[in-house]
Amino acid sequence: MRLVRGGVVTAALALTTVVATAAPAVAAPPSNDTYAGRTVVGSVPFTQTVDTTEATTDADDAELNAQCGAPVTDASVWYQVTAEADGGMVVDVSQSSFSAGAIVATGSPGNWNVLACAPGAVAWSAVAGETYTILVFDDQGDGGGNGGTLVITIDVAPPAPTIDVTVNPVGQFDAR
């Protein structure tokens, strides 16, 4: 009986040592965590879901945000899209599990020209053949955390609505 009890104690101690010294499992940052690893969008509409909880922030993020002024650019990821035609384009990140924002720019690190930046969704006037860089980030608008499930859609903006106005040739005024 003593031998069995001693074996159980030894096994329990060994298991405790293994659990206590095991390295925690850490997920890797997404592949488009940096400008150099940006996701090149082949065609629009484009939709992607990405876990950004391990995404980082670096000097390229800060440089681009210097022209935007977002509160922070935590858990950021990068995209690149080339416009197929002249007209409006939109980036929508409003369906993400965290408060996400986006910055759209032309150029590259050291030579940015920001076209649009906002939380939730941004739109800009695109020129056919022009390449646009998009930085999507956690702006901490929800009070905390580091990223989450990003849902990004890049698409052509819908056409502007048309408005028909009819004016009554006999105007009336109610003084009340």
Side-chain angles (χ1 to χ4, degrees):
M1 185 77 168
R2 251 183 213 266
L3 187 55
V4 171
R5 197 178 292 169
V8 170
V9 170
T10 303
L13 286 173
L15 180 60
T16 301
T17 302
V18 168
V19 170
T21 60
V26 177
S31 61
N32 59 340
D33 184 44
T34 63
Y35 173 78
R38 64 196 175 278
T39 296
V40 177
V41 175
S43 63
V44 293
F46 169 84
T47 299
Q48 185 179 56
T49 301
V50 178
D51 178 0
T52 64
T53 55
E54 296 299 322
T56 61
T57 300
D58 62 16
D60 291 337
D61 301 11
E63 179 191 350
L64 188 55
N65 189 37
Q67 294 183 42
C68 173
V72 293
T73 55
D74 290 344
S76 62
V77 290
W78 295 82
Y79 293 86
Q80 176 180 301
V81 64
T82 300
E84 296 172 3
D86 291 349
M89 291 191 75
V90 65
V91 173
D92 184 353
V93 293
S94 64
Q95 300 303 307
S96 302
S97 70
F98 58 97
S99 180
I103 302 173
V104 177
T106 56
S108 59
N111 189 30
W112 292 117
N113 179 33
V114 171
L115 303 175
C117 62
V122 295
W124 74 101
S125 182
V127 176
E130 182 77 43
T131 299
Y132 300 94
T133 299
I134 302 162
L135 176 67
V136 179
F137 54 90
D138 183 344
D139 65 11
Q140 298 296 309
D142 55 4
N146 188 57
T149 302
L150 168 69
V151 179
I152 180 173
T153 299
I154 303 171
D155 203 351
V156 174
T162 57
I163 300 173
D164 292 326
V165 177
T166 303
V167 178
N168 185 337
V170 180
Q172 295 180 352
F173 177 73
D174 184 355
R176 287 186 270 159

